[in-house]
Amino acid sequence: QVQLVESGGGLVQAGGSLRLSCVASGDTNCISSMSWHRQAPGKERELVAGFTTADNTVIADSVKGRFTFSRDNAKNTVYLQMNSLEPEDSAVYYCNAGSYGSRCPLSIYWGQGTQVTVSS
């Protein structure tokens, strides 16, 4: 199994910045993809950024140019640098990981989420 722990959320004024971190533990060698998703009240959870099983990076159009996704394989950690934050970015941000490979289950894991609130 894989465990994911997010951190870095908080309250920030519009135009400010935050950096989210997600640390994976457990069977980290089974991880083939990691991504950030967010969910605002009354809205569906949406993909923000991540890398796929093909090791390709994807980022949502709504945050392109403002958010940056990065990874540190040695620390089993992915980051989401969020700049020029807008109130519309307010949501609970969740870390996601997919496992795939020899002797690995085909599974999806979620972290507990971290709240990001952007004030006007």
Side-chain angles (χ1 to χ4, degrees), residues 4-113:
L4 304 172
V5 179
E6 305 102 326
S7 63
L11 175 64
V12 65
Q13 293 183 344
S17 299
L18 288 172
R19 190 179 79 156
L20 306 183
S21 300
C22 174
V23 181
S25 61
D27 297 328
T28 57
N29 289 335
C30 288
I31 296 176
S32 59
S33 65
M34 293 189 71
S35 59
W36 287 98
H37 298 242
R38 67 185 182 184
Q39 186 168 23
K43 296 185 178 180
E44 295 183 352
R45 189 171 301 185
E46 63 175 343
L47 173 67
V48 178
F51 69 90
T52 69
T53 55
D55 204 29
N56 296 318
T57 300
V58 63
I59 189 166
D61 290 339
S62 59
V63 303
K64 192 172 298 181
R66 299 187 297 117
F67 291 10
T68 302
F69 174 83
S70 61
R71 56 199 276 200
D72 187 337
N73 290 336
K75 297 181 178 179
N76 297 313
T77 302
V78 296
Y79 305 92
L80 186 67
Q81 178 66 48
M82 305 185 295
N83 299 324
S84 301
L85 283 163
E86 305 168 353
E88 292 74 19
D89 297 316
S90 297
V92 177
Y93 285 71
Y94 296 93
C95 185
N96 168 273
S99 66
Y100 173 83
S102 179
R103 298 182 299 276
C104 295
L106 182 61
S107 301
I108 296 175
Y109 304 92
W110 293 96
Q112 81 287 350

